[in-house]
Amino acid sequence: MTVTTHTDTPADHAGTRARLRDIYAAAHEQTLHPNALGWPGRPDERELDFISHVVYGRPGMAHEGCAYLVKELSQLAEIERHLSAVFGIITAQLGADTSPVSDGYDLHHALSCFAAEEYLHADFFYRYVRELAAEDIKLADSLFPERLALYQGDDSPYVKLAAMCMAAYIGESVITVFEKRTAHLDPGREHFLTKLLWAHGMDEARHVQVDHVVLECIMPSFSEAERQRAFEIFSGTEELNAELAGRFKQLIVDVFGVDHTVGNPAWDVQLRLTSAFRQAMTATWPPSPVDERMDDETRKLLHEFAGTDRVHP
């Protein structure tokens, strides 16, 4: 890992607060409540064919495509619910924080809105996967206490924020690519999957902007001990999320009777992008936004899959 030294100044704190304020200035006009999505119920044949094309790039794979979406989106819902709880811990700690970056309401407001939006995302993804599966999708043990325990120590709220944002940013970047794929295939948003990911993406764009503020304005001032601790919590989160993924995979195999990873080009793209985006989080200090570290091969993959050369604006 390459370590870059940054100097933090009082002027930076004011700029950080201003960036956070601007991110959420119009959030109430750029969001959709789950009740506003116009839920269609079970997907019809036309929607199932679209899902087949999104996931496999060809017709006739709707059952396998639904299995893939149910696994990934139910897992994502659990991860988003976890982030909401962690942000609750962090904002509670800010009450005792005297750092200039937390002066006023800007940081608390941004994190509170972020958490609220993620909890609603968990709600509408869980509703969607139930409609795709035509039954409840419930994991008996989602490792929630273990995942939450990583953030319940006496570390500073900024160390916890950094660890959570690093872990979340990887998944946020991947789901943004899939949002762009559905938009590329369905620019008029005629399909519910496109509409769902678009609604999610309106909020997710703000979350990514907050992540960038954390990467660029908060993490560079960490001490070596804080840096190491942030990576420990991040690594622990990644390990538990990987175990969570395995549990969801088995659940979906039991429900659908298929392994969603076999012969699945979207799964292959997801793995390759996840690896590239994780590299952005671990190759340098502070971590880099994914678009700044994308190599030509990954950018070509992104363009072929989603019709774009960038993940984030």
Side-chain angles (χ1 to χ4, degrees), residues 28-58:
H28 58 295
E29 299 172 348
Q30 299 165 345
T31 191
L32 280 179
H33 190 277
N35 290 352
L37 287 173
W39 295 88
R42 285 281 294 150
D44 59 18
E45 289 301 316
R46 182 169 173 270
E47 186 72 14
L48 289 172
D49 184 65
F50 180 67
I51 289 171
S52 180
H53 277 86
V54 168
V55 179
Y56 283 87
R58 65 184 193 272

Side-chain angles (χ1 to χ4, degrees), residues 262-307:
V262 176
N264 181 342
W267 168 249
D268 180 63
V269 169
Q270 179 185 336
L271 286 182
R272 292 169 65 184
L273 291 176
T274 299
S275 177
F277 298 161
R278 184 175 289 113
Q279 176 73 6
M281 291 295 95
T282 59
T284 64
W285 182 265
S288 303
V290 295
D291 288 291
E292 294 182 11
R293 291 198 58 84
M294 202 179 307
D295 59 25
D296 291 341
E297 181 181 351
T298 305
R299 202 171 298 280
K300 182 174 182 289
L301 174 68
L302 183 63
H303 189 271
E304 292 173 349
F305 187 70

Side-chain angles (χ1 to χ4, degrees), residues 95-149:
D97 181 57
T98 58
S99 303
V101 72
S102 68
D103 284 351
Y105 71 95
D106 301 309
L107 177 61
H108 189 281
H109 179 67
L111 299 186
S112 296
C113 290
F114 194 146
E117 289 160 358
E118 292 286 46
Y119 217 96
L120 289 179
H121 293 172
D123 177 47
F124 65 60
F125 279 144
Y126 263 133
R127 179 170 180 174
Y128 181 61
V129 300
R130 283 168 166 82
E131 294 192 351
L132 288 183
E135 63 179 271
D136 275 350
I137 299 297
K138 294 181 178 179
L139 191 63
D141 183 3
S142 66
L143 301 169
F144 189 82
E146 293 87 346
R147 290 183 288 136
L148 194 62

Side-chain angles (χ1 to χ4, degrees), residues 221-236:
S221 64
F222 279 9
S223 67
E224 178 63 17
E226 289 173 323
R227 182 183 71 83
Q228 290 182 358
R229 183 60 182 143
F231 267 101
E232 287 176 3
I233 299 173
F234 162 70
S235 297

Side-chain angles (χ1 to χ4, degrees), residues 22-214:
D22 289 344
I23 289 167
Y24 273 94
H28 58 295
E29 299 172 348
Q30 299 165 345
T31 191
L32 280 179
H33 190 277
N35 290 352
L37 287 173
W39 295 88
R42 285 281 294 150
D44 59 18
E45 289 301 316
R46 182 169 173 270
E47 186 72 14
L48 289 172
D49 184 65
F50 180 67
I51 289 171
S52 180
H53 277 86
V54 168
V55 179
Y56 283 87
R58 65 184 193 272
M61 303 296 290
H63 181 70
E64 294 83 355
C66 286
Y68 171 69
L69 291 179
V70 169
K71 187 271 179 184
E72 294 302 324
L73 296 181
S74 55
Q75 178 185 329
L76 180 58
E78 275 295 334
I79 290 171
E80 290 180 316
R81 183 165 65 178
H82 173 242
L83 182 147
S84 296
V86 169
F87 275 22
I89 293 172
I90 292 170
T91 52
Q93 280 187 261
L94 291 179
D97 181 57
T98 58
S99 303
V101 72
S102 68
D103 284 351
Y105 71 95
D106 301 309
L107 177 61
H108 189 281
H109 179 67
L111 299 186
S112 296
C113 290
F114 194 146
E117 289 160 358
E118 292 286 46
Y119 217 96
L120 289 179
H121 293 172
D123 177 47
F124 65 60
F125 279 144
Y126 263 133
R127 179 170 180 174
Y128 181 61
V129 300
R130 283 168 166 82
E131 294 192 351
L132 288 183
E135 63 179 271
D136 275 350
I137 299 297
K138 294 181 178 179
L139 191 63
D141 183 3
S142 66
L143 301 169
F144 189 82
E146 293 87 346
R147 290 183 288 136
L148 194 62
L150 293 170
Y151 297 85
Q152 291 178 316
D154 59 1
D155 302 285
S156 86
Y158 300 104
V159 166
K160 296 176 183 179
L161 178 61
M164 188 75 266
C165 284
M166 283 192 292
Y169 185 61
I170 297 168
E172 288 165 350
S173 298
V174 172
I175 194 65
T176 298
V177 172
F178 276 78
E179 177 203 345
K180 292 189 173 186
R181 175 166 173 78
T182 57
H184 181 61
L185 296 174
D186 178 25
R189 288 191 216 117
E190 298 179 8
H191 295 280
F192 185 73
L193 176 59
T194 310
K195 182 178 179 181
L196 180 75
L197 294 185
W198 166 73
H200 177 264
M202 282 196 292
D203 297 340
E204 207 74 342
R206 291 189 293 274
H207 302 172
V208 166
Q209 290 180 67
V210 173
D211 293 337
H212 286 169
V213 170
V214 174

